[in-house]
Amino acid sequence: MADNKIRQKLHRCGNVDVSAKDRQQALQHICAGVADKNSRQSQSKKNSFVANGLFPVLVGILRCENEFGPQYDYSVNIFTAGGPDWRYDFMLQAEAALTLRRLVEIGDSESSTGFKRVNQAVSDGCLPVLVPHLYVTSCCSGYASGALKEIAKHDMFRQLICQAGALKPLRQLLQKDIEVCKTSFRNASECLHLLSCSVVEDFIDNGVLDGAIETAMNKAVGDKPMLASVLTIANLTAGDDGEELGRRLQEVYVSANFGGHLCRLVYSTTTKKRYLTIAASQLDIIKSVFSLASSEVGRRQLVGAWIKEECTHRQLTLVDILAKILRENLSVAAAETCELVLEVYLHLSFAEDGIVQLQRSPECMSTVKRIAGGALPGECGAVARNVMRVVSGGLVVAPGATSSPPQEKKGPEEAIPALDAASAAPIPAAALVVDAPVSTPTADKSPVAPTGQKLPHVMISYSWAHQSTILDLCEQLKLAGIPYWLDVEQMQGNINDRMAEAIESCCAVLVGVSSKYKQSANCRMEAEYSNAQRKNIIPVMVESKYRADGWLGLVISG
């Protein structure tokens, strides 16, 4: 009986022979019934409506599938009014966008069923019909951008949103007067941040970076759009230390008082009192903090940021706040978040006061020590041991010191035995330039690394993103009779000690120069430790059209 009533309502909403006013009133009744995202009754109604085909009805309305209603002209991105009831047609489409937004909102207690609704909405073609409504300066654009924001909270749909053409209209919403469409402005800035956490390639061509910088510099937009825009900037400029961009970012961070706002945002993810929130999960926010920490300008902002805790009035730095997140995620074995926090610590250690803050945070160091001792499986332990080494001064070395640096998480690692040093010869120039990855050759898998007083070899430092290219280089070195050391599969024993031995006993270090290498804190440690050991550093260009700058440009220039 209940299903029959639902079908009758849906038929009335989707019937083009019914007046737009009556259709809008019927849809308004449906929308009111699914307004509360945390109510069990509302959740049950949402699932019932979706099961009986509500999404196709909403898609038809948003496509303007009626005889007299406003028609969308994709060539000029405008709606043209038509028919005697065109105002009700606009109201009908706005109601459809609002209903869709409420359907894809997931309550606190319905993770699985809520995700099924979002997946069903995408499968029924809701994304392409939402994008045109972003061009309209009205409540409809606010509801449409809100629906896209809710869908973008799920990582797997972000690429689909970009493919539907949402970047351009979202960027244009940031150029409109915020007083005219506050909701659209806020939703657009937060949606762009979510998309930038996973999808970056198309952002520059659509002018999103420039739009985000303008928004962050505009004090009239409010804290949430400003903060979302700055985090978008951080994701789009991760690891970029160019002089002109660095100057622009410095102006943005200072103008927006970014450090304090960011600390308040990260702190809000650890407490029930939401002081400042944006539409992003704790993991997405930590990803943006990691991106920010990978640039020199961003690190300076993060190290200088602090807030006062509400109850104790104790001054909390970002290191202290992240320590709380690290402890909470350790208790539930959330390895991905813990590893990201540890990587942020590694990046902060390159700032002038970063190590001091790490050393002065007992909660941070006690939690890191637990993880280093094996509290979490996988790579978290290795990254935690790297942090311990940095804090204890293991990487502040003089020439000839034996402290061992951490190595990057490169996936499977294997020590390839050095070739006979008697046949060693000068490295031919052709072997030092590899422009494109090739198929991975079969390598000897015996876990043997250069130790003791063996004859000198060439140490290869690289990012796992270019592993196949590096393995091709190894084949060239092998043909040239040059002994080398490379890790390509998990080694037994202390990996950091093996890496340190390889650097300390080598005659030269080949550095695989790429943007990924520059962004990696562990690769930076390998390169700087090699530099501290006074080793000959030979740059190997493994990424075409990439020009090293910042710390990497400084290291390889010597």
Side-chain angles (χ1 to χ4, degrees), residues 202-424:
D202 302 328
F203 272 56
I204 305 300
D205 294 338
N206 285 276
V208 175
L209 178 59
D210 292 334
I213 290 178
E214 292 173 9
T215 303
M217 296 286 285
N218 185 0
K219 295 183 179 180
V221 302
D223 290 344
K224 290 184 179 181
M226 178 276 298
L227 193 54
S229 295
V230 174
L231 293 179
T232 302
I233 296 168
N235 290 337
L236 299 182
T237 60
D240 193 333
D241 288 323
E243 183 176 349
E244 182 177 351
L245 180 59
R247 178 183 57 77
R248 292 182 69 188
L249 295 183
Q250 180 68 24
E251 292 177 2
V252 170
Y253 298 148
V254 172
S255 172
N257 185 23
F258 175 62
H261 286 307
L262 179 65
C263 279
R264 197 172 297 111
L265 172 66
V266 178
Y267 182 73
S268 71
T269 67
T270 68
T271 177
K272 293 181 179 179
K273 293 184 178 180
R274 300 292 179 170
Y275 301 99
L276 179 62
T277 58
I278 60 175
S281 64
Q282 185 183 80
L283 179 60
D284 283 330
I285 292 173
I286 300 301
K287 284 180 180 178
S288 298
V289 172
F290 172 75
S291 298
L292 192 68
S294 64
S295 67
E296 295 286 350
V297 177
R299 271 194 293 275
R300 289 197 297 269
Q301 293 298 318
L302 296 180
V303 170
W306 60 274
I307 58 171
K308 280 191 176 181
E309 194 171 23
E310 185 182 38
C311 299
T312 64
H313 299 287
R314 181 169 61 101
Q315 180 174 307
L316 295 177
T317 65
L318 186 65
V319 168
D320 299 320
I321 300 171
L322 290 176
K324 186 175 182 180
I325 293 177
L326 190 63
R327 187 182 71 248
E328 291 175 351
N329 282 274
L330 176 60
S331 64
V332 295
E336 185 178 3
T337 302
C338 288
E339 188 173 348
L340 267 177
V341 172
L342 292 169
E343 292 282 2
V344 171
Y345 282 160
L346 284 177
H347 279 293
L348 293 181
S349 69
F350 295 120
E352 187 173 342
D353 298 326
I355 292 182
V356 176
Q357 289 188 4
L358 289 168
Q359 291 172 336
R360 290 180 177 177
S361 176
E363 183 179 9
C364 164
M365 295 317 301
S366 62
T367 309
V368 171
K369 189 174 181 179
R370 285 181 58 195
I371 298 175
L376 280 178
E379 292 294 331
C380 284
V383 181
R385 287 190 288 275
N386 294 342
V387 176
M388 296 293 293
R389 287 179 178 276
V390 172
V391 174
S392 63
L395 293 179
V396 184
V397 294
T402 58
S403 298
S404 55
Q407 88 293 344
E408 181 192 9
K409 174 186 139 182
K410 300 174 183 174
E413 299 174 355
E414 168 188 28
I416 298 180
L419 303 179
D420 185 4
S423 60

